[in-house]
């Protein structure tokens, strides 16, 4: 990075600090879903659904990492896990039985938690139950999130997963540096990761690796070593997420000393470093996602969008979430399952959908327009196309967003955007480091709440 760019990043990171801005896994972000749940309407939508992405939440983890923002359960014995699978089967039946055809899905995703922490019998049972109701489309993706530890992701488990139809595996590496890992209470050894990933690849899995930047004690040197190791391991896809520090929402994060966290300038430099090191072998596709083989022309038609599963290249916006705390989207409705295990199971035992009251959101036309800009265009790494918005939604950008225009023009002056008054607004390279700051200009929900209330 040249000196001019360094100075510019330094200035911009002071002005556009993203510390309190949401990650935009959805729009509006889930902390703004506050409508009551209409279970009858949800059931009807589920019945009418022909195809959707399917997310299965398996919350159990061997130990808990301090930086984690996921809904997870520490340990869990075999009986707990079996009972949880029974609850998932009840939920599947409640949501997807009585249909003339199974639900089609281009993307079945088991996340958590640590789904690979289930034993082989439990994995097989859950996969077989899922298949009764969900059919993976041709060339569809069946994906499992995994911890890069050969004691959790054993060869026998990988063979079983392959036989059950899984074709994609995502390893949460985050960083290899010992001090960083100790500060977040996580273990991840380069050799073990190399071995496990190599084994997964040799069995024919497509392999994704998640990295996290902005972690405690993570400096440019530490992250550079991790990135170089990752390039040697050569996963098919790398997603580099910024660490989100919200100790008020995730109390375990209080164990991370505030002073150990890199400042916003270093955070932007860490992402710049990822870009620099990955650029020779990977193509940046937006949403913090890098796909192996450099050059967009080598990935025709691939468009990455941010979603609850991180980032995804498959199109369907419909999502059926299964498991405690799982999020769904059917039609224009977002809703969330209850998080507490006992309430989740109790709802299912009573034959009710385990939807949390007061956490539903029905999209307005305005939400749809803003979601298109925030999730698809800005976070998807494509320009804001005013004509395309007019064609899709019938709105004149300059009139509809007249209140946002002065802020966008000021961002243009700061070098974050180009062409604010032209037909296409382009985010500059500098702007991509502050993409959430650009996105939040279009988010009226964020403006109407106090700082810190947003979740990621
Ligand atoms: S980061 Fe993954 S392994 Fe660690 S506690 Fe969270 S879900 Fe569990």
């Amino acid at each position: 990075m040249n000196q001019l760019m360094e100075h510019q990043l330094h200035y911009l990171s002071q002005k556009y600090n993203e510390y309190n801005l949401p990650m935009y896994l959805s729009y509006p972000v889930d902390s703004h879903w506050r409508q009551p749940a209409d279970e009858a309407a949800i059931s009807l939508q589920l019945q009418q659904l022909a195809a959707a992405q399917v997310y299965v939440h398996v919350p159990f983890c061997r130990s808990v990492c301090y930086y984690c923002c996921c809904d997870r359960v520490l340990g869990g014995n075999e009986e707990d896990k079996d009972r949880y699978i029974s609850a998932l089967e009840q939920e599947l039946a409640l949501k997807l039985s009585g249909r003339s055809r199974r639900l089609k899905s281009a993307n079945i995703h088991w996340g958590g938690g640590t789904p690979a922490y289930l034993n082989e019998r439990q994995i097989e049972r859950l996969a077989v139950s899922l298949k009764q109701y969900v059919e993976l489309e041709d060339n569809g993706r069946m994906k499992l999130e995994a911890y890069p530890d050969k004691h959790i992701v054993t060869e026998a488990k990988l063979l079983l997963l392959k036989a059950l139809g899984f074709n994609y595996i995502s390893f949460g590496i985050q960083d290899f540096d010992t001090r960083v890992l100790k500060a977040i209470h996580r273990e991840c050894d380069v050799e073990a990761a190399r071995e496990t990933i190599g084994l997964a690849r040799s069995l024919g899995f497509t392999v994704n690796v998640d990295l996290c930047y902005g972690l405690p004690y993570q400096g440019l040197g530490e992250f550079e070593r991790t990135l170089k190791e990752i390039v040697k391991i050569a996963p098919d896809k790398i997603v580099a997420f910024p660490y989100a520090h919200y100790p008020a929402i995730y109390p375990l994060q209080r164990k991370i000393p505030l002073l150990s966290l890199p400042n916003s300038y270093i955070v932007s430099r860490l992402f710049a470093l990822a870009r620099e090191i990955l650029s020779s072998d990977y193509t940046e596709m937006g949403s913090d996602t890098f796909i192996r083989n450099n050059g967009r022309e080598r990935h025709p038609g691939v468009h990455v969008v941010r979603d609850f599963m991180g980032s995804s290249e498959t199109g369907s916006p419909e999502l059926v979430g299964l498991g405690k705390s799982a999020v769904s989207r059917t039609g224009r409705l977002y809703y969330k399952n209850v998080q507490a295990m006992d309430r989740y199971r109790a709802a299912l035992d009573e034959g009710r959908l385990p939807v949390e009251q007061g956490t539903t959101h029905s999209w307005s036309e305005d939400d749809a327009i803003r979601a298109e800009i925030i999730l698809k265009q800005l976070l998807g790494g494509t320009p804001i196309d005013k004509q395309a918005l007019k064609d899709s939604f019938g709105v004149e950008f300059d009139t509809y967003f007249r209140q946002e225009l002065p802020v966008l023009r000021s961002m243009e002056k700061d070098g974050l955007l180009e062409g604010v008054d032209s037909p296409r607004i382009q985010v500059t390279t500098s702007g991509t480091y502050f993409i959430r700051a650009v996105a939040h200009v279009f988010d009226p929900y964020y403006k109407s709440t106090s700082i810190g209330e947003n979740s990621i």
Side-chain angles (χ1 to χ4, degrees), residues 37-47 90-96 320-322 328 330 333 335-338 343-357:
D38 180 345
E39 289 184 31
I42 292 172
S43 294
L44 188 65
Q45 283 185 339
L46 284 165
Q47 282 304 314
Q90 284 174 296
E91 189 179 0
L92 268 167
L94 201 58
K95 286 186 165 170
L96 298 175
V320 175
L322 301 160
S328 299
T330 48
L333 204 62
Y335 46 95
K336 211 190 276 187
N337 278 356
V338 295
R343 287 179 52 230
Y344 169 69
R345 281 203 298 249
L348 291 163
D349 286 343
E350 289 164 19
R352 288 188 293 110
L353 288 175
V355 181
E356 186 65 272
Q357 277 303 326

Side-chain angles (χ1 to χ4, degrees), residues 8-35:
Q8 196 189 18
L9 270 190
H10 195 265
Y11 164 73
L12 293 173
S13 59
Q14 311 285 316
K15 185 166 178 182
Y16 298 103
N17 191 338
E18 294 187 318
Y19 185 70
N20 264 312
L21 297 180
M23 292 282 284
Y24 289 112
L25 304 185
S26 65
Y27 178 79
V29 295
D30 58 353
S31 54
H32 296 288
W33 305 353
R34 293 173 183 171
Q35 296 162 1

